[in-house]
């Protein structure tokens, strides 16, 4: 098996900034940050790396929540991390990522936001079920995929930013 990436926490300063931007000021941001676990596979046969909830997550039917994971990933060139809801949560609750599949490019790691990975989830249940995920439980999984480019590709621009930042180059 080829090893293509390494997970890290973002700095506390970046996490605090993004947490406050998302949820407002809180007294326990440092405790939340310290408890963040790096993504990992559950078994040797698992393709996905589980991302663990940095806090208790409750999403009522039809609600959406944006979660700063506190995680960044350094990926070899020509590889991408694709993120999906954990399959059990999708199956039981119709929990969905708002962008359907999260795409984390290899050059996102060096972005001005440290490559901080966010997950925006919607409870799209049609059975009136509330999603409840405990702090530290897996809620999203990421799978590394190799990709190719066209023969006539001549891109030289560099990313500088977060969501939608492929159009914000330096």
């Amino acid at each position: 098996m080829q090893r293509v990436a390494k997970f890290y926490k973002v700095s506390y300063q970046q996490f605090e900034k993004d947490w406050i931007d998302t949820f407002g000021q809180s007294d326990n941001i440092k405790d939340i940050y310290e408890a963040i676990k790096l993504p990992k596979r559950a078994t040797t046969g698992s393709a996905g790396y589980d991302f663990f909830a940095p806090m208790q997550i409750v999403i009522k039917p039809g609600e959406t929540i944006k979660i700063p994971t506190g995680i960044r990933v350094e990926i070899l060139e020509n590889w991408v991390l694709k993120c999906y809801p954990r399959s059990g949560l999708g199956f039981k609750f119709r929990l969905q990522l708002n962008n359907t599949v999260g795409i984390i490019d290899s050059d996102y790691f060096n972005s001005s936001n440290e490559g901080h990975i966010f997950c925006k989830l919607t409870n799209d249940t049609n059975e009136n079920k509330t999603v409840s995920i405990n702090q530290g439980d897996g809620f999203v999984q990421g799978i590394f995929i190799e990709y190719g480019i066209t023969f006539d590709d001549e891109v030289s621009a560099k990313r500088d930013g977060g969501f939608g930042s492929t159009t914000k180059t330096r």
Side-chain angles (χ1 to χ4, degrees), residues 128-149:
N128 203 33
K129 294 181 179 179
T130 296
V131 176
S132 183
I133 303 165
N134 293 321
Q135 181 179 10
D137 285 354
F139 72 106
V140 169
Q141 59 184 329
I143 300 172
F144 293 99
I145 304 291
E146 190 173 23
Y147 66 91
I149 59 174

Side-chain angles (χ1 to χ4, degrees), residues 17-120:
K17 175 184 172 295
D18 292 338
W19 189 270
I20 290 170
D21 183 56
T22 303
F23 297 114
Q25 187 63 46
S26 175
D27 293 336
N28 64 341
I29 298 173
K30 185 73 168 175
D31 294 333
I32 293 167
Y33 177 79
E34 293 298 327
I36 291 171
K37 300 186 297 187
L38 296 179
K40 66 179 184 178
R41 296 184 309 144
T43 68
T44 58
S46 297
Y49 282 79
D50 292 336
F51 281 69
F52 303 102
M55 62 184 196
Q56 169 80 25
I57 299 168
V58 176
I59 314 172
K60 294 178 183 170
E63 286 186 342
T64 297
I65 185 170
K66 181 176 81 170
I67 302 163
T69 66
I71 301 297
R72 65 193 294 217
V73 63
E74 187 173 23
I75 309 170
L76 292 180
E77 192 173 330
N78 298 328
W79 286 82
V80 63
L81 177 65
K82 297 175 82 174
C83 296
Y84 308 88
R86 291 274 311 270
S87 54
L89 294 172
F91 186 81
K92 293 175 190 171
F93 301 100
R94 287 187 62 162
L95 186 68
Q96 299 181 18
L97 284 172
N98 279 30
N99 57 346
T100 310
V101 176
I103 301 294
I104 312 301
D105 297 310
S106 62
D107 62 350
Y108 186 52
F109 183 76
N110 295 313
S111 295
S112 57
N113 72 345
E114 297 183 23
H116 192 178
I117 298 170
F118 285 75
C119 296
K120 192 170 184 182

Side-chain angles (χ1 to χ4, degrees), residues 10-19 30 33 114:
V10 297
S11 69
Y12 174 71
Q13 293 77 16
Q14 184 68 51
F15 183 75
E16 180 182 45
K17 175 184 172 295
D18 292 338
W19 189 270
K30 185 73 168 175
Y33 177 79
E114 297 183 23

Side-chain angles (χ1 to χ4, degrees), residues 107 110-113 158-162 165-166 168-170:
D107 62 350
N110 295 313
S111 295
S112 57
N113 72 345
K158 302 289 184 190
R159 171 191 309 272
D160 188 27
S165 63
T166 52
K168 299 173 189 169
T169 58
R170 48 186 154 134

